């Protein structure tokens, strides 16, 4: 590689966006100019989705109208339910999200880009149902209703998952987590969505591209992998023994999931917010306190040993765990939220489109003569 090409497109601006930025210092995340701390504390996910899609915070009437619209389109077509029922129980739920999105795209295809706002609403409304319908059916054969009557997506999801209304605390925690996951500039999955939509492909294909890209453990899959790490460390009994194992893992040059970041170099501004939620929920719901103490030990050790900090995915893992959410559903929740950011980027790409087609630095053979098969 040339000196300029550092790999992974790090540090290179590959397009323009007005949706969000990690800030010039690389740790001041804003959505449409509003700080992530304020949004996570003061706004609901629906307000944030509206902000990302329409570029402004909704007033009360606009928010009520938007929430009403989302609430009215939660049903899943019978043909989609039939497909979900056929997906094996041991399938990774991210594959369910990808398949559900694709199937919906065959039943309600985008025939005109003018439908893009309606399709975004539909996907935001349908994804929680797609996930929970499959999850509950594959687990115990229950065909749940996706008509919960819940006022927002956070409550709707938790109600379908657990079969009962969530407590206010759980609903608030879920809401904050959806706000934190909603958008993140030119991250891998968003960039992938933009590449797909820049070919003038349809909306569902672009979102499916995002889901496939988010699935990997270096990106969205890290929240699930971080939980696996905590469970692994917990197997060593005491916090002290867990710390020894963590040091061994570092000595073996293993990646510690939920740490480090491609853009942030000193901290992830979303991490303190989700850490606070994990702390609030620790020992409160689901599991005893020890996963929180374990997480704090991992955070301190990673900083002392490697100067690496937790990203959003690290404390999201214990937070969701304390909420009683099955680990395999962690990354699909990311999809439920990030669809808002992906959609805003797809719309922005379409509004000023240019096919994304970079050059490659060729490292292969020089041009050579063709060799016929009998002479090889
Ligand atoms: N655990 C252990 N070491 C890590 C690490 C981690 N989570 N993240 C980075 N490092 C190390 C790298 O091994 C590298 O060490 P080296 O210079 O000795 O080779 C150094 O820190 C620089 O990291 P690098 O891989 O160049 O950073 P990157 O920008 O390419 O990678 C991530 C960013 C996110 C891919 C990387 O930090 C990672 O894999 N994290 C774990 C997965 C994760 O949490 N992803 C979610 C991101 S929001």
């Amino acid at each position: 590689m040339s000196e300029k090409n550092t790999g992974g497109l790090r540090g290179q601006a590959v397009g323009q966006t007005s949706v969000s930025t990690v800030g010039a210092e690389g740790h001041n995340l804003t959505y449409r100019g509003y700080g992530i701390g304020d949004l996570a504390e003061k706004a609901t996910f629906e307000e944030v989705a509206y902000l990302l899609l329409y570029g402004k915070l909704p007033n009360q009437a606009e928010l009520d109208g938007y929430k009403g619209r989302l609430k009215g389109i939660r049903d899943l077509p019978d043909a989609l339910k039939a497909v979900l029922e056929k997906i094996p129980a041991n399938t990774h739920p991210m594959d369910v999200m990808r398949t559900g999105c694709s199937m919906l795209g065959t039943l309600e295809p985008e025939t005109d880009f003018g439908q893009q706002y309606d399709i975004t609403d539909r996907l935001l409304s349908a994804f929680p149902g797609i996930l929970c319908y499959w999850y509950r059916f594959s687990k115990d054969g229950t065909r749940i209703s996706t008509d919960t009557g819940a006022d927002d997506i956070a409550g709707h999801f938790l109600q379908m998952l657990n079969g009962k209304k969530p407590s206010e605390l759980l609903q608030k925690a879920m809401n904050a987590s959806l706000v934190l996951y909603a958008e993140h500039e030119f991250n891998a999955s968003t960039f992938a969505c933009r590449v797909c939509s820049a070919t003038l492909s349809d909306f569902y294909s672009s979102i499916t591209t995002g889901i496939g890209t988010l699935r990997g453990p270096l990106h969205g899959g890290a929240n699930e992998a971080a939980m696996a790490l905590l469970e692994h460390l917990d197997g060593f009994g005491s916090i002290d023994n867990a710390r020894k194992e963590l040091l061994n893992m570092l000595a073996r040059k293993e990646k510690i999931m939920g740490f480090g970041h491609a853009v942030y170099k000193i901290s992830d501004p979303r991490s303190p917010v989700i850490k606070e939620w994990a702390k609030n929920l620790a020992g409160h719901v689901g599991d005893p306190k020890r996963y929180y103490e374990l997480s704090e030990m991992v955070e301190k050790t990673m900083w002392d040993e490697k100067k690496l900090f937790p990203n959003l995915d690290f404390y999201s893992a214990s937070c969701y765990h304390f909420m009683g959410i099955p680990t395999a559903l962690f990354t699909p929740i990311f999809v439920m939220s990030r669809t808002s950011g992906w959609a805003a980027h797809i719309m922005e790409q379409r509004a000023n489109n240019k096919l994304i087609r970079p050059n490659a630095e060729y490292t292969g053979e020089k041009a050579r003569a063709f060799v016929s098969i009998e002479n090889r």
Side-chain angles (χ1 to χ4, degrees):
M1 281 195 179
S2 73
E3 262 175 33
K4 267 190 196 157
N5 191 345
T6 53
L9 297 174
R10 289 294 182 287
Q12 299 179 34
V14 293
Q16 296 184 323
T17 185
S18 64
V19 181
S20 75
T21 179
V22 297
E25 302 81 19
H27 56 95
N28 286 330
L29 175 64
T30 55
Y31 297 172
R32 303 274 189 201
Y34 295 102
I36 191 63
D38 279 344
L39 291 172
E41 189 193 331
K42 298 171 189 158
T44 61
F45 173 67
E46 283 76 3
E47 278 173 275
V48 167
Y50 189 102
L51 169 69
L52 293 170
L53 296 167
Y54 298 98
K56 68 180 214 69
L57 285 168
N59 62 30
Q60 193 61 55
E62 287 165 336
L63 181 62
D64 292 346
Y66 183 53
K67 285 171 77 170
R69 216 158 59 231
L70 293 177
K71 205 169 158 181
I73 48 174
R74 287 174 176 165
D75 65 299
L76 304 182
D78 288 343
L80 173 54
K81 288 186 196 162
V83 165
L84 293 172
E85 289 183 16
K86 289 221 155 42
I87 299 179
N90 62 357
T91 301
H92 193 285
M94 281 299 275
D95 298 347
V96 176
M97 299 300 266
R98 197 190 57 220
T99 304
C101 181
S102 255
M103 184 62 190
L104 198 61
T106 68
L107 299 170
E108 302 169 11
E110 183 181 36
T111 51
D112 187 302
F113 283 2
Q115 298 160 336
Q116 61 184 1
Y117 283 95
D118 289 343
I119 293 173
T120 302
D121 291 351
R122 180 70 166 129
L123 286 171
L124 285 170
S125 292
F127 272 142
I130 288 173
L131 180 60
C132 292
Y133 188 89
W134 168 80
Y135 182 71
R136 297 281 305 279
F137 182 82
S138 66
K139 210 166 151 252
D140 56 23
T142 311
R143 292 187 165 95
I144 59 160
S145 163
T146 57
D147 182 17
T148 57
D151 192 44
D152 63 9
I153 289 174
H156 176 55
F157 167 68
L158 290 170
Q159 192 167 330
M160 283 186 294
L161 182 65
N162 299 319
K164 58 175 198 264
K165 262 188 149 170
S167 69
E168 208 187 317
L169 181 73
L170 285 199
Q171 190 166 341
K172 276 193 167 162
M174 178 52 67
N175 187 71
S177 150
L178 293 176
V179 169
L180 292 171
Y181 270 131
E183 162 59 14
H184 209 216
E185 208 204 63
F186 272 28
N187 61 90
S189 57
T190 299
F191 187 58
C193 284
R194 290 190 76 128
V195 171
C196 182
S197 58
T199 68
L200 301 183
S201 186
D202 73 297
F203 211 87
Y204 296 92
S205 296
S206 302
I207 297 288
T208 310
T209 301
I211 297 172
T213 311
L214 189 72
R215 192 188 192 290
L218 295 190
H219 189 10
N223 55 13
E224 181 181 340
M227 194 63 228
L229 168 79
L230 291 178
E231 279 163 356
H232 171 72
L233 293 176
D234 190 42
F236 288 79
S238 68
I239 297 274
D240 213 36
N241 284 344
R243 184 168 181 279
K244 283 183 193 139
E245 168 59 6
L246 180 62
L247 291 173
N248 286 336
M249 290 172 80
L250 288 175
R252 293 194 297 265
K253 299 234 171 281
E254 287 179 32
K255 273 264 167 90
I256 306 304
M257 294 309 188
F259 281 82
H261 201 272
V263 176
Y264 298 131
K265 290 303 162 210
I266 47 171
S267 65
D268 180 336
R270 303 165 298 177
S271 179
V273 183
I274 200 68
K275 180 178 177 181
E276 192 59 28
W277 273 108
K279 190 176 178 187
N280 286 343
L281 293 165
H284 205 89
V285 192
D287 209 80
K289 245 185 157 75
R290 68 173 195 284
Y291 277 127
Y292 183 74
E293 285 163 6
L294 202 53
S295 300
E296 281 202 308
M297 178 279 288
V298 176
E299 180 181 359
K300 181 172 182 331
T301 309
M302 289 301 285
W303 184 255
D304 291 346
E305 297 295 317
K306 300 275 289 181
K307 292 288 168 282
L308 284 172
F309 52 86
N311 56 53
L312 171 59
D313 290 314
F314 185 65
Y315 280 101
S316 293
S318 44
C319 191
Y320 288 160
H321 181 76
F322 295 136
M323 293 170 76
I325 296 171
T327 305
L329 304 193
F330 291 4
T331 318
I333 297 173
F334 197 156
V335 173
M336 283 165 34
S337 162
R338 185 57 62 86
T339 295
S340 58
W342 288 337
H345 280 273
I346 294 167
M347 292 175 188
E348 189 180 54
Q349 182 66 38
R350 285 176 167 184
N352 185 18
N353 192 52
K354 177 107 179 156
L355 180 77
I356 299 173
R357 201 304 191 184
N359 288 348
E361 187 180 326
Y362 181 64
T363 58
E365 299 286 349
K366 288 206 172 75
R368 48 186 167 165
F370 181 77
V371 183
S372 60
I373 196 155
E374 60 276 13
N375 292 327
R376 283 176 220 163

